[in-house]
Each structure stands twice: as structure tokens, then as C-alpha cells.
């Protein structure tokens, strides 16, 4: 079953995972045991949010040892869910399909805030429409390295003066952070190998997509 849910913003990914595990255990449903511990259910949670990010929904796959109806799973999980974890929807998916963490190749981020305070030299769509998206990373020893993030950008749209939609894609099993994309636009150097966000801007993951053999995107 693919479970779409919300969790309190102050929960980290470890707390979310433990809460999911306890929910499945309390549900009484016939779960498939995890390889690391046969007393625990097999779960695939993710993709995990980055530092300072928010989301409209979280995702997890729960594996069962025998067939379970969607209605039965939704009822059992809703009753067993800990306080703060809310089930949005549940969908039965074929067992052999990749987990949601592996399936999600493209992510939609909404970036909200007053961009003018950073005095960007170009409108967002003009900058991101260029040939390169150069991010400057600065190490503790003051050495600077530049990376081109252009391969990770699927598309961008300025929804309003204070909101961007960034559609970011995996490239060679790697991904780019929306904070780094926006930092490149605003010409802000980011610390290398360190947590980073931009003050007074919100980064909200709004949707996940998988890509079919023809390259078309589908919402997960």
C-alpha cells in the first residue's frame, strides 16, 4: 500500500519513520517482516525532506504478507495513527513496482517569500532559462567551487511576484536542492557540505512525479 500522509513540521525523518512503524504494528494488519528485524514491518519511507523544507504530503510504502483491501488499510491505519500523523489517502500498488523513494524522479517545489529583498539581477524565468545555472560553494578554508545545476532543472514558473514553482529532476541518481537553485539565481554563495537555507523564504515540496518510458510525468 502507498500511504500519503502529513506529519507535524517539527518531526524529523527518524521520528516519522518510527511513528509509521508503530502505526503498522498497532493496526493488526498482516505486514511483511523487515529484513533487519522480523518483528518490525517492511517500510519504504521517503523521499526525505531536506533541511528547513516543508511539504504538503509525505509518502511511504507498506508491504503486506497477504492481500489487504484499500478500505480496510485506511480504516486500520487511521485508527492506529499516532497523534499528529494524518492519513490523506491510501492506494494499493503492485508489489513488484519500485518503492516511492526510488520511483520519484521529479519533484515540484513552491518557493515563497519576498525575493526583492535579495535584489536579484534578473527575473527568475530569465535567469533559469539561461544556458547555465552556476552555484558557488565556499569551503571552510575559503576555497570556492562552482557547479552547474542546469541538468537538474526540468522547468520553472513565476506564479506570482512572491512565489516560484521549481520542477527539479534527478540526474544520474543525483538531485539538486531547491535552496541551491534559488541561491544561484540570487548570486549567493552557499557553504560546502553544510546545511543551508535562505532566510525569510519558504521551500515547500508540493508534489512528486514518476516518469514513464516516453518521458511523460505522472503524479505519485
Amino acid at each position: 500500500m502507498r500511504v500519503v500522509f502529513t506529519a507535524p513540521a517539527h518531526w524529523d525523518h527518524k521520528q516519522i519513520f518510527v511513528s509509521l512503524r508503530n502505526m503498522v504494528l498497532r493496526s493488526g494488519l498482516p505486514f511483511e517482516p523487515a529484513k533487519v528485524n522480523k518483528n518490525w514491518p517492511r517500510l519504504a519511507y521517503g523521499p526525505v525532506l531536506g533541511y528547513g523544507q516543508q511539504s504538503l504530503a509525505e509518502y511511504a510504502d507498506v508491504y503486506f504478507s497477504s492481500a489487504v483491501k484499500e478500505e480496510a488499510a485506511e480504516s486500520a491505519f487511521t485508527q492506529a495513527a499516532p497523534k499528529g500523523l494524518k492519513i490523506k489517502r491510501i492506494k494499493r500498488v503492485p508489489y513488484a513496482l519500485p518503492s516511492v523513494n526510488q520511483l520519484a524522479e521529479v519533484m515540484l517545489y513552491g518557493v515563497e517569500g519576498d525575493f526583492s529583498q535579495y535584489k536579484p539581477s534578473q527575473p527568475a524565468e530569465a535567469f533559469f532559462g539561461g544556458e547555465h545555472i552556476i552555484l558557488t560553494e565556499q569551503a571552510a578554508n575559503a576555497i570556492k567551487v562552482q557547479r552547474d545545476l542546469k541538468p537538474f532543472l526540468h522547468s520553472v514558473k513565476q506564479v506570482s511576484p512572491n512565489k516560484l514553482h521549481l520542477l527539479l529532476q534527478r540526474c544520474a541518481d543525483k538531485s539538486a536542492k531547491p535552496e541551491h537553485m534559488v541561491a544561484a539565481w540570487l548570486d549567493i554563495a552557499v557553504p560546502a557540505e553544510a546545511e543551508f537555507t535562505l532566510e525569510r523564504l519558504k521551500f515547500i515540496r508540493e508534489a512528486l512525479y514518476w516518469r514513464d518510458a516516453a518521458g511523460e510525468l505522472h503524479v505519485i
Side-chain angles (χ1 to χ4, degrees):
M1 292 290 180
R2 182 151 297 148
V3 183
V4 183
F5 63 97
T6 59
H10 64 276
W11 285 13
D12 61 18
H13 66 277
K14 293 181 180 179
Q15 188 171 1
I16 290 175
F17 186 85
V18 171
S19 296
L20 285 170
R21 185 177 67 199
N22 292 339
M23 178 186 74
V24 177
L25 289 171
R26 285 195 296 264
S27 72
L29 297 174
F31 62 82
E32 179 179 320
K35 292 181 180 180
V36 294
N37 187 327
K38 292 185 178 181
N39 295 316
W40 291 348
R42 181 183 173 190
L43 298 173
Y45 161 57
V48 175
L49 288 175
Y51 174 75
Q53 295 176 3
Q54 303 173 35
S55 75
L56 298 184
E58 298 289 301
Y59 301 79
D61 288 341
V62 182
Y63 295 79
F64 294 101
S65 57
S66 60
V68 176
K69 292 184 178 180
E70 292 177 355
E71 298 81 5
E74 184 168 357
S75 175
F77 285 164
T78 299
Q79 293 182 47
K83 185 177 181 181
L85 193 152
K86 296 182 179 180
I87 306 296
K88 293 188 69 175
R89 65 180 184 272
I90 290 179
K91 182 179 181 181
R92 188 176 178 181
V93 296
Y95 184 90
L97 281 186
S99 69
V100 64
N101 195 28
Q102 297 171 316
L103 194 62
E105 288 200 21
V106 181
M107 302 185 186
L108 174 64
Y109 289 95
V111 186
E112 301 177 1
D114 183 7
F115 303 114
S116 64
Q117 64 187 316
Y118 290 99
K119 299 179 173 60
S121 60
Q122 297 182 64
E125 291 182 350
F127 173 82
F128 289 110
E131 186 176 357
H132 301 286
I133 300 173
I134 302 301
L135 174 72
T136 301
E137 294 182 313
Q138 183 168 326
N141 59 7
I143 293 178
K144 293 184 178 180
V145 177
Q146 290 188 324
R147 291 194 295 128
D148 187 3
L149 303 182
K150 186 69 175 184
F152 300 101
L153 179 68
H154 184 280
S155 63
V156 64
K157 182 178 181 180
Q158 181 120 27
V159 181
S160 71
N162 292 331
K163 183 171 183 177
L164 286 178
H165 265 159
L166 288 173
L167 203 56
L168 304 185
Q169 60 191 3
R170 284 184 181 176
C171 187
D173 287 331
K174 295 182 179 179
S175 57
K177 299 177 180 179
E179 297 87 349
H180 287 180
M181 283 282 182
V182 175
W185 167 42
L186 301 176
D187 196 23
I188 296 173
V190 306
E193 299 181 358
E195 301 289 10
F196 171 81
T197 191
L198 287 158
E199 297 293 332
R200 299 182 295 279
L201 295 182
K202 290 182 180 180
F203 293 83
I204 305 169
R205 191 180 68 193
E206 298 187 359
L208 302 179
Y209 299 83
W210 63 276
R211 200 195 311 262
D212 65 23
E216 296 294 321
L217 300 183
H218 305 270
V219 175
I220 292 179

